[in-house]
Amino acid sequence: MSLSSRRGSLQVGSYIEPEEVRRSVVHAHHADPVEASGARHAGNLLLLCKLHHDNYGGQLTRIGVTTALQNNTKGVSICFGEDSQVDGRRIELTISGTGEVVKLFFTDQHVEYWLSQETTRD
């Protein structure tokens, strides 16, 4: 589901609420690069802000993400406003070289699809 179709669940007044801002700030990163035959489906996509896409995108790999998802089975819930909640998992990946930790949230549906595509390649 795209962010624009979930507008009602976005935090009212947040910097990312306006659609035109989301288009310029949110980037889709392919863990397996498309130019190297990486898949174009949700089992290969991470949504990152432009800053993190530029700084860490190339270091976020399918193997790293898949391993973190398999090792972290504890669910979390993210609340948007008073009436909206999204269930999923939060994982942490350490960037080699800098030691910085990147925290990523996956909805339950994205976790399920991502892991189902682990051995499936387009």
Side-chain angles (χ1 to χ4, degrees):
M1 180 180 298
S2 71
L3 285 174
S4 60
S5 66
R6 299 200 47 220
R7 179 179 165 80
S9 66
L10 292 173
Q11 183 68 38
V12 174
S14 74
Y15 77 96
I16 203 163
E17 181 184 12
E19 185 174 344
E20 61 275 8
V21 173
R22 285 194 307 276
R23 282 194 303 261
S24 65
V25 173
V26 178
H27 291 214
H29 170 69
H30 294 87
D32 289 334
V34 172
E35 60 272 5
S37 301
R40 292 183 177 267
H41 55 62
N44 188 37
L45 287 177
L46 303 170
L47 293 181
L48 304 170
C49 72
K50 179 180 179 355
L51 174 70
H52 288 117
H53 189 230
D54 291 346
N55 290 343
Y56 308 128
Q59 297 179 60
L60 299 175
T61 65
R62 168 176 289 287
I63 293 169
V65 171
T66 299
T67 300
L69 287 171
Q70 289 170 334
N71 292 335
N72 182 354
T73 58
K74 182 180 177 188
V76 297
S77 293
I78 304 288
C79 295
F80 296 94
E82 296 177 13
D83 300 324
S84 184
Q85 176 177 311
V86 179
D87 297 325
R89 288 189 216 168
R90 189 185 82 176
I91 61 171
E92 295 182 2
L93 299 168
T94 302
I95 301 300
S96 62
T98 67
E100 293 177 80
V101 175
V102 176
K103 298 176 183 178
L104 301 172
F105 175 79
F106 285 73
T107 65
D108 286 338
Q109 294 85 1
H110 195 193
V111 170
E112 184 178 320
Y113 192 76
W114 184 279
L115 293 177
S116 77
Q117 298 301 307
E118 178 185 7
T119 58
T120 304
R121 303 294 169 110
D122 287 352

